[in-house]
Amino acid sequence: SSLITWMEMFNDLRADGEIRDNYQFWFYLYPTGQPFWTSASQLRQELANARQVLDPDRRALALDQMVLVGHSMGGLVSKMQTLQSDDSLWKLISDRPLEELEVPRKLRAQLEDTWYFEPNPSIRRVVTIASPHRGSEFSNGTTQWLAKKLIRLPESLSERTIRFFAQNQDLARSRLLKISTSVESLATDSPVFPVMLELRSLPSTRYHNIVGVVPDDKGLGRVVARGDGVVKYESASLKDVVSEIVVPEDHVKIHRHPRTILEVQRILLQHLGELREEYQASRDLPSPR
């Protein structure tokens, strides 16, 4: 929503000398009103463009040691950078392979970018914070209706896709093509979430997770199910992660909570330590004869 939302964490992390001397922080701003898979596709392209501009010969070692940190939907956008889609997501949309469809060239390229992707090997670690890995009940009939009324985005892949498949209804079988806002994309009954949880990633990629649970003695904690008020614990929690902690804060404030910041600090220092071990191990290898 705004880069300012990360300032508490940024300032505290930069106060650590080890982190300040070894990390460079980038921020990614995207339209939070569009489906998260569209934002993930755009970030994928932006990272590729940045690498081509900054390091066309791919000599900058640090650009192959990236850590992504994402809050809420940003966690989903970040995680999708590290997954292997195969044709699992496309099968949610159509029974026919994309290459067999007579689709306008530009739309075909956009569909491929969104639904077919490889893991980015330059991303070594992902930290998700209060992310709805199984959707959010905040996405319901009322909020979806409001989102359509309030969110106005430039003509997007979703709109072009909707028009095309409306004219070729025999090609598609999924309501995913009708989703045009982020609120709709986060519905708990979305078929995307179960598939995402099963997609493969590179063995070298590490995942960390931070979950918000509002204490029962707080006002919000008395009236909502166990979770941060927007995302339930069951949706935010993950099994196959290196670490997961619970922070006693609501969805809006959790990435500013001292416990969250300390955990990200710990993860960055752990990452740095493991990279140093890798470097030392490579130096200890015998020279080829």
Side-chain angles (χ1 to χ4, degrees):
S1 57
S2 168
L3 304 184
I4 300 299
T5 193
W6 291 102
M7 284 304 101
E8 288 94 338
M9 180 181 290
F10 172 71
N11 287 331
D12 283 355
L13 293 176
R14 288 274 296 169
D16 184 298
E18 279 287 282
I19 291 176
R20 184 174 62 252
D21 293 342
N22 291 281
Y23 282 92
Q24 182 181 77
F25 290 84
W26 294 4
F27 298 88
Y28 183 61
L29 185 64
Y30 59 92
T32 55
Q34 66 188 10
F36 67 85
W37 47 77
T38 303
S39 298
S41 174
Q42 292 173 351
L43 175 56
R44 201 172 295 120
Q45 188 60 52
E46 293 289 351
L47 286 173
N49 292 343
R51 187 62 179 264
Q52 184 59 34
V53 171
L54 298 172
D55 184 36
D57 297 327
R58 302 187 73 86
R59 296 180 180 178
L61 182 61
L63 288 177
D64 287 323
Q65 301 168 343
M66 287 192 286
V67 180
L68 297 188
V69 180
H71 169 247
S72 190
M73 189 170 66
L76 303 178
V77 172
S78 297
K79 189 177 181 183
M80 288 190 82
Q81 308 306 305
T82 64
L83 301 178
Q84 172 75 49
S85 70
D86 297 319
D87 60 356
S88 301
L89 290 170
W90 177 254
K91 284 182 177 179
L92 299 177
I93 294 174
S94 177
D95 294 320
R96 293 176 57 183
L98 178 57
E99 58 267 22
E100 293 182 5
L101 304 185
E102 295 185 6
V103 181
R105 184 175 60 181
K106 185 175 182 180
L107 178 57
R108 179 187 297 277
Q110 291 174 320
L111 288 170
E112 288 177 347
D113 289 344
T114 301
W115 301 108
Y116 288 90
F117 44 84
E118 303 281 338
N120 185 340
S122 296
I123 299 169
R124 299 285 297 274
R125 211 172 286 263
V126 176
V127 184
T128 51
I129 304 171
S131 294
H133 297 288
R134 297 168 186 82
S136 170
E137 292 184 355
F138 181 78
S139 174
N140 54 52
T142 301
T143 56
Q144 291 175 20
W145 178 83
L146 283 172
K148 287 185 176 181
K149 293 292 184 181
L150 298 175
I151 296 174
R152 290 290 180 269
L153 296 172
E155 184 180 48
S156 63
L157 167 62
S158 297
E159 293 172 342
R160 284 189 285 269
T161 304
I162 290 170
R163 285 203 301 271
F164 175 80
F165 283 101
Q167 300 167 358
N168 301 270
Q169 296 185 17
D170 59 312
L171 303 181
R173 58 182 172 83
S174 174
R175 65 182 179 85
L176 292 177
L177 298 174
K178 298 180 181 179
I179 292 177
S180 59
T181 69
S182 57
V183 177
E184 292 177 281
S185 74
L186 297 174
T188 55
D189 61 351
S190 170
V192 170
F193 292 115
V195 172
M196 274 186 62
L197 289 170
E198 297 298 324
L199 293 181
R200 295 174 297 160
S201 61
L202 296 176
S204 58
T205 306
R206 301 288 182 265
Y207 297 97
H208 302 265
N209 195 33
I210 300 172
V211 181
V213 174
V214 180
D216 292 338
D217 58 351
K218 283 192 175 182
L220 186 61
R222 297 191 187 100
V223 297
V224 300
R226 187 169 186 245
D228 62 22
V230 174
V231 182
K232 286 186 176 181
Y233 173 83
E234 291 78 11
S235 178
S237 181
L238 289 173
K239 293 182 179 179
D240 298 326
V241 294
V242 175
S243 67
E244 178 175 291
I245 68 166
V246 173
V247 174
E249 190 54 273
D250 65 45
H251 189 79
V252 176
K253 301 175 184 175
I254 183 172
H255 59 300
R256 301 174 177 178
H257 193 282
R259 183 69 184 88
T260 299
I261 296 172
L262 285 172
E263 176 66 359
V264 175
Q265 179 187 38
R266 184 195 67 80
I267 292 167
L268 294 183
L269 292 174
Q270 176 183 340
H271 183 63
L272 185 60
E274 292 180 6
L275 291 176
R276 286 172 173 160
E277 291 177 1
E278 288 181 15
Y279 176 72
Q280 186 60 46
S282 67
R283 287 174 60 90
D284 293 341
L285 290 175
S287 301
R289 295 172 181 260

